Amino acid sequence: AADCPLSPCQSLLFLGLVAAVCLGLNLLFLTVYLICLCCCKRDQDPETKRPHSCCVTWMAVTAGLICCAAVGVGFYGNSETNDGVFQLLYALDHANQTLTGIDSLVAGTTLQMQGGLEQHLARLNELLASRGDYVQTLKFTEQLAGSIVLQLQGLPAWRGVSADLTELSGQVAYVEYYRWLAYLLFFILVLTVCLLACLGLAKHSRCLLVTMLCCGLLMLVLSWASMAVDTAAAVGTSDFCVAPNKFIMNQTDNVISAEVVHYYLYCDQSLSSPFQQALTVFQRSLTTMQIQIQGLIQYALPLFPTAKVQDGGEQGVSIPPSAPQSCLTPLFPQKDLLGVQQLLNSSETSLHQLTALLDCRGLHKDYLDGLIGICYDGVEGLLYLGLFSLLAAAAFSTVICAAPRAWKQLAGRERDYDDMDEEDPFNPQARRIATHRPPRGQLRSFCSYSSSLGSQSSLHPPAQTVSNAPVSEYMNQAVLFGGNPRYENVPLIGRGSPPPTYSPSMRATYLAVTDEHVRHRGDFPA
């Protein structure tokens, strides 16, 4: 801590501040871009303005590709982080089971030595009180049992460490579940916003464009916030992975001795185990006790004529069935001796299990598995999640940049529609307007005049000559909307359709036919 100018908390706060500064710079860049875009659009000649549909399309495609790549990278990083954390949880649970097993074996063996063995030895002292050598053997056995209990009490108690590991495992599992779920929902939200952006650009909807812009700004902020969290978590985990042994020794300084912690963290086979002396005394005492009890079974039982050793042991002399009941009143040492022997055998099994659990290789393997899970898979996943955040920020920055251009494109299309002649029946906008506008009075035009030739008695043509303006007008409109004049080969005379645009030859024919009809009407009386 003296070598590092910043504490871990200050370092994490510094990383959060860096992410906030990057977010501010990103928003500043977008603001400058939008201002420059508006100024450039305002300086252009209105007649030269054209919607940059190709630019908008490529920006949308780029944003979609970056968004898909970001989500793919994010899914991989989220999976890697989850795998690393669950590997850590498995190592913690396995180590917790080992420590719990050690405490259970120590407690069970101590209870056998202090409870069941002492009861059997007390009854044997009463039975063999007449033989001083046997009493000395029983006292020596009792002393050995006390020595074993003393050695077991000298072993470290792992109950507190096991409780801490259980609490840590529960907290890590709880945080990891909600972290994984939050990122999964974040990925779905990113894909939804990208789909909304593509839909807004495809449908040319201003409402969707406004929603896309707002969601893009929100996702931009969330992306940089995710970047800050991922970076802080990765740096904090890396700091732990640089010197994990020192960190663990500092955390367990007041719970477990430094020698024991060092033994499990490094597991150096050249060093002796701190439990070697206790286990050696346990094994030697247990072997000596078994020898003493076996000698009592072999030499003391024949002194009692009513005792009968079963299960392959030596048989004593049995009293005949005709003997009086008073001869069977003495207590039998057989049951207590066999009980002691059974307890010693059980203690020997516990000794082997305890030796295996106290060996450093099991817990050291769990320790390495946990470190690999959190320091390799976990940090790698966090780095990929940070890359996802960067790609998502780039994608939504592109979406925000494309929104004003798409808005200009929609405005340009509406302006082109507004420039069309509302009286043109071929204009789709005119038909839409006609549905919302009340019908006007019948206007006399070339169409109505030519269509009224069939009812000459009811309608009278105007006195003025026929004008060629409608034909020229519609030819000009055809040039305006189509780029080239649209010609038809058949004149539309005698029907209510508007005059089309004719080719020069058809126009001359049409005018000749019209003049003939006019002269023919002049021969009839009014």
Side-chain angles (χ1 to χ4, degrees):
D3 298 335
C4 183
L6 294 177
S7 64
C9 295
Q10 292 175 347
S11 300
L12 298 181
L13 291 177
F14 176 75
L15 292 174
L17 181 61
V18 170
V21 171
C22 293
L23 173 61
L25 292 177
N26 193 358
L27 295 177
L28 180 62
F29 167 76
L30 293 177
T31 304
V32 172
Y33 172 79
L34 296 178
I35 292 175
C36 294
L37 184 63
C38 293
C39 294
C40 292
K41 290 291 183 180
R42 187 174 301 174
D43 294 340
Q44 289 180 358
D45 186 7
E47 296 182 357
T48 62
K49 290 182 181 180
R50 292 293 183 269
H52 299 277
S53 58
C54 183
C55 181
V56 172
T57 302
W58 280 109
M59 292 178 71
V61 170
T62 303
L65 292 177
I66 295 176
C67 183
C68 292
V71 171
V73 171
F75 269 109
Y76 178 76
N78 198 30
S79 177
E80 284 293 311
T81 305
N82 187 258
D83 292 342
V85 172
F86 271 96
Q87 187 174 351
L88 172 65
L89 292 176
Y90 177 79
L92 289 176
D93 291 340
H94 193 268
N96 194 12
Q97 292 178 2
T98 301
L99 299 180
T100 304
I102 293 174
D103 285 340
S104 177
L105 287 174
V106 170
T109 305
T110 303
L111 182 61
Q112 288 179 356
M113 293 296 172
Q114 291 181 343
L117 185 61
E118 289 183 357
Q119 293 178 1
H120 289 299
L121 293 178
R123 284 196 294 267
L124 288 174
N125 281 324
E126 295 178 0
L127 292 173
L128 303 176
S130 59
R131 298 294 301 266
D133 51 349
Y134 295 157
V135 173
Q136 291 295 330
T137 301
L138 294 175
K139 289 183 178 180
F140 181 65
T141 303
E142 188 175 359
Q143 291 176 0
L144 293 176
S147 176
I148 291 176
V149 172
L150 184 62
Q151 296 299 326
L152 292 177
Q153 290 177 351
L155 295 177
W158 301 100
R159 187 177 296 106
V161 178
S162 178
D164 293 340
L165 290 180
T166 302
E167 182 180 1
L168 178 62
S169 179
Q171 292 177 355
V172 171
Y174 178 82
V175 173
E176 172 59 20
Y177 172 75
Y178 284 102
R179 186 209 63 82
W180 177 83
L181 183 62
Y183 269 101
L184 184 62
L185 295 178
F186 190 30
F187 299 152
I188 297 175
L189 184 60
V190 168
L191 291 177
T192 303
V193 173
C194 286
L195 180 62
L196 181 64
C198 295
L199 185 63
L201 294 176
K203 299 291 289 185
H204 304 291
S205 173
R206 290 196 173 189
C207 180
L208 289 178
L209 286 178
V210 173
T211 306
M212 176 188 72
L213 185 61
C214 296
C215 292
L217 290 174
L218 176 61
M219 297 304 295
L220 186 64
V221 175
L222 291 179
S223 298
W224 282 110
S226 173
M227 179 65 185
V229 173
D230 296 335
T231 306
V235 172
T237 307
S238 300
D239 291 340
F240 166 76
C241 295
V242 170
N245 296 339
K246 182 179 179 181
F247 177 80
I248 294 177
M249 291 185 70
N250 292 333
Q251 294 295 322
T252 59
D253 190 16
N254 299 326
V255 181
I256 305 296
S257 64
E259 182 183 4
V260 174
V261 176
H262 184 274
Y263 171 70
Y264 283 114
L265 291 180
Y266 294 95
C267 195
D268 191 357
Q269 297 298 327
S270 62
L271 299 177
S272 61
S273 171
F275 316 112
Q276 185 65 38
Q277 182 179 359
L279 295 177
T280 302
V281 173
F282 186 3
Q283 184 177 10
R284 290 177 179 177
S285 300
L286 193 61
T287 302
T288 305
M289 292 171 65
Q290 289 176 339
I291 294 174
Q292 298 297 326
I293 297 301
Q294 186 66 30
L296 289 177
I297 293 176
Q298 184 177 0
Y299 297 106
L301 285 183
L303 300 178
F304 297 88
T306 57
K308 186 177 182 181
V309 180
Q310 298 177 355
D311 299 333
E314 297 184 358
Q315 286 188 345
V317 180
S318 299
I319 296 179
S322 60
Q325 187 68 24
S326 60
C327 297
L328 301 176
T329 53
L331 296 176
F332 305 150
Q334 172 192 4
K335 180 179 179 181
D336 293 309
L337 288 174
L338 293 178
V340 171
Q341 189 178 31
Q342 184 178 2
L343 286 177
L344 294 179
N345 293 333
S346 176
S347 299
E348 186 178 7
T349 303
S350 300
L351 172 63
H352 294 309
Q353 295 177 356
L354 186 61
T355 303
L357 292 178
L358 288 175
D359 188 76
C360 66
R361 288 173 293 183
L363 288 176
H364 187 70
K365 183 181 181 301
D366 296 334
Y367 172 63
L368 292 181
D369 290 341
L371 283 183
I372 291 174
I374 195 66
C375 295
Y376 287 90
D377 295 338
V379 173
E380 181 184 2
L382 290 175
L383 293 178
Y384 276 107
L385 288 176
L387 180 59
F388 153 76
S389 300
L390 286 178
L391 292 177
F396 289 114
S397 298
T398 307
V399 168
I400 294 173
C401 292
R405 291 184 177 273
W407 189 276
K408 288 290 184 180
Q409 182 179 354
L410 293 180
R413 290 188 177 184
E414 293 182 356
R415 188 166 54 250
D416 292 339
Y417 276 116
D418 293 338
D419 293 340
M420 293 182 181
D421 187 7
E422 296 181 359
E423 300 297 333
D424 186 3
F426 294 106
N427 184 8
Q429 187 178 9
R431 289 195 292 269
R432 291 195 300 267
I433 297 176
T435 57
H436 303 286
R437 182 176 294 178
R440 296 182 295 179
Q442 182 70 23
L443 297 179
R444 184 168 298 277
S445 63
F446 186 82
C447 300
S448 61
Y449 175 66
S450 61
S451 63
S452 63
L453 294 178
S455 57
Q456 299 175 359
S457 60
S458 60
L459 297 177
H460 302 281
Q464 65 271 18
T465 60
V466 178
S467 175
N468 297 332
V471 178
S472 301
E473 177 183 357
Y474 280 93
M475 290 180 66
N476 294 333
Q477 290 180 0
V479 173
L480 176 62
F481 294 110
N484 294 319
R486 180 169 51 89
Y487 300 113
E488 298 184 9
N489 296 326
V490 180
L492 302 177
I493 300 176
R495 46 187 287 187
S497 300
T501 56
Y502 297 115
S503 62
S505 60
M506 291 302 300
R507 180 181 179 185
T509 304
Y510 179 75
L511 292 177
V513 173
T514 304
D515 292 341
E516 183 180 356
H517 278 282
V518 171
R519 287 193 303 270
H520 180 72
R521 283 184 52 83
D523 296 337
F524 291 94

